[in-house]
Amino acid sequence: MAYLVFSDGCMTVTTKYVFPKPGGSLYYRRRKPRDLSDRLGTVDHVESLRTKDPVAAATRAARKTAELDAYWESLRNPEASFTPKETQAAARARLKALRLEPAAAARNPDGWWRIIEAQEDEHGHDYMEARHHGREDVADSTLTPLNKEVQRLFEHGEGPKLVTMSDAKTLYFEHHTKGDDSRFVRDNSRAYDALLSMAGDLPLQAYTRAHATALRDKLRAQQTPAGKPLSTATVRRRWNTLVAMFNKGKREHGLNIGNPFEKIDIPREGADAKKRPTFTKEQLLTIAAACRKLDDERRHILAIQLDTGARLKEIVGL
């Protein structure tokens, strides 16, 4: 049954898995999945949300739901690919299931044995043999990103928030004067979309020069709707937006890291540019006369160009 968070007569907000106990304390209760009952048991997952405030409880319950979803999926499919946020969520839930706390390694070194035993159950004979014979490099290569995040969480704690490329993109458009223009967002997300389809939404620190060069080649291989290769000028324009996104993300979050997408060369850049002949004086007079015949935006743009010599995109932008 859904728990009522807020109601003013016109709008009602409810949340799942929250229930009150006598005295007003709010708890999280959720049935464990049947297909994992042999590993998790059949008793409902119950824990205190440590608040009596319905709004705070709803926020904490949503976080707990995300943690359990990721944790249970990791048990079903240990080799599944998770986003960085899902990995962190699953690691928090797995550490809690082992009855361990973040950043507790120094005061509870015996907790490492629980983690190792869980990893032996997960990875089986080969992992056990490698560990028991001192082949740590082989054992570590068996571990999944989730296993490693559990170890990191137990030793160092939550740590700073991982800033992903999607976070950087959100910041970039939130601070841009045209960030609420859907067409502008679409046109300036092309390199970002290509990066995510190729490498995924990683923390900014995880992107490398190899990602950058592979993305450059991917963009160069793209074609226009007419089936023609993208010009190097178009590739550079899209690339510069990606560089700006990355820099915005690291700057706003105070990350002291380099940008692997900066100073990337585009082979034969500019060699495909088409040179246009200069208008004659007679042609310019003809264009100016035509601009006076109709009072519309296109003629205004042409007229301003005639008088200023500015680029088309500069005038259109204004």
Side-chain angles (χ1 to χ4, degrees):
M1 183 176 180
Y3 178 74
L4 179 64
V5 176
F6 171 81
S7 178
D8 65 355
C10 298
M11 181 177 67
T12 299
V13 179
T14 61
T15 187
K16 296 170 66 176
Y17 311 128
V18 175
F19 75 98
K21 279 198 169 184
S25 296
L26 297 173
Y27 278 68
Y28 182 93
R29 180 172 63 196
R30 186 178 179 188
R31 182 177 300 170
K32 295 174 182 175
R34 292 182 179 179
D35 61 316
L36 296 175
S37 60
D38 57 330
R39 303 178 65 176
L40 300 175
T42 57
V43 178
D44 288 357
H45 179 96
V46 180
E47 65 178 278
S48 173
L49 292 170
R50 300 182 180 182
T51 184
K52 295 182 179 181
D53 177 27
V55 176
T59 301
R60 295 175 189 180
R63 173 176 162 137
K64 179 54 60 179
T65 297
E67 290 178 4
L68 291 176
D69 285 343
Y71 172 45
W72 291 341
E73 183 57 30
S74 75
L75 295 179
R76 293 187 182 98
N77 183 8
E79 301 302 322
S81 177
F82 296 104
T83 67
K85 292 179 181 178
E86 290 170 340
T87 300
Q88 288 181 308
R92 287 193 296 268
R94 183 169 289 193
L95 202 64
K96 194 174 203 63
L98 294 172
R99 301 187 304 283
L100 298 173
E101 297 178 354
R107 66 178 183 273
N108 181 21
D110 289 343
W112 283 114
W113 291 110
R114 295 188 201 172
I115 294 175
I116 291 170
E117 288 172 0
Q119 289 170 174
E120 288 180 344
D121 290 342
E122 181 178 343
H123 297 292
H125 179 76
D126 291 343
Y127 175 79
M128 294 173 63
E129 285 293 303
R131 276 200 53 80
H132 293 168
H133 289 86
R135 299 167 62 194
E136 297 294 338
D137 56 334
V138 176
D140 287 346
S141 67
T142 307
L143 299 180
T144 65
L146 175 56
N147 297 143
K148 294 176 181 179
E149 177 62 14
V150 170
Q151 293 179 346
R152 189 204 66 78
L153 188 63
F154 180 58
E155 186 169 6
H156 301 293
E158 292 280 359
K161 175 184 180 295
L162 289 178
V163 183
T164 64
M165 195 65 208
S166 60
D167 294 325
K169 175 194 175 187
T170 299
L171 277 171
Y172 177 79
F173 287 119
E174 280 181 349
H175 290 81
H176 201 286
T177 55
K178 298 177 70 176
D180 56 354
D181 183 332
S182 59
R183 182 173 179 178
F184 176 83
V185 172
R186 181 198 65 199
D187 291 344
N188 286 275
S189 297
R190 299 189 189 279
Y192 165 87
D193 293 338
L195 176 63
L196 260 65
S197 69
M198 181 189 76
D201 186 20
L202 305 178
L204 297 186
Q205 299 94 319
Y207 290 107
T208 65
R209 199 66 169 180
H211 287 128
T213 54
L215 177 63
R216 175 198 61 195
D217 295 341
K218 182 181 177 72
L219 291 178
R220 290 181 63 219
Q222 290 181 345
Q223 296 182 333
T224 67
K228 296 180 180 181
L230 291 182
S231 69
T232 55
T234 298
V235 173
R236 176 61 69 187
R237 184 170 63 253
R238 295 180 181 181
W239 192 269
N240 287 343
T241 302
L242 184 72
V243 170
M245 282 183 189
F246 192 102
N247 285 336
K248 187 68 175 178
K250 75 171 191 174
R251 186 167 56 250
E252 292 296 323
H253 286 278
L255 301 178
N256 186 22
I257 59 175
N259 185 339
F261 301 101
E262 287 184 327
K263 298 181 180 179
I264 283 284
D265 293 328
I266 298 175
R268 296 184 57 79
E269 183 172 4
D272 55 353
K274 295 181 180 179
K275 294 184 178 180
R276 297 172 181 168
T278 304
F279 288 111
T280 66
K281 181 178 179 180
E282 291 72 20
Q283 289 172 327
L284 292 174
L285 290 172
T286 301
I287 294 172
C291 287
R292 298 189 187 95
K293 289 184 179 180
L294 288 176
D295 182 19
D296 62 14
E297 192 174 70
R298 290 188 180 185
R299 274 73 178 180
H300 295 168
I301 292 172
L302 287 174
I304 295 173
Q305 280 191 282
L306 288 174
D307 291 334
T308 63
R311 295 181 179 182
L312 175 62
K313 65 180 180 181
E314 294 171 334
I315 303 305
V316 172
L318 292 173

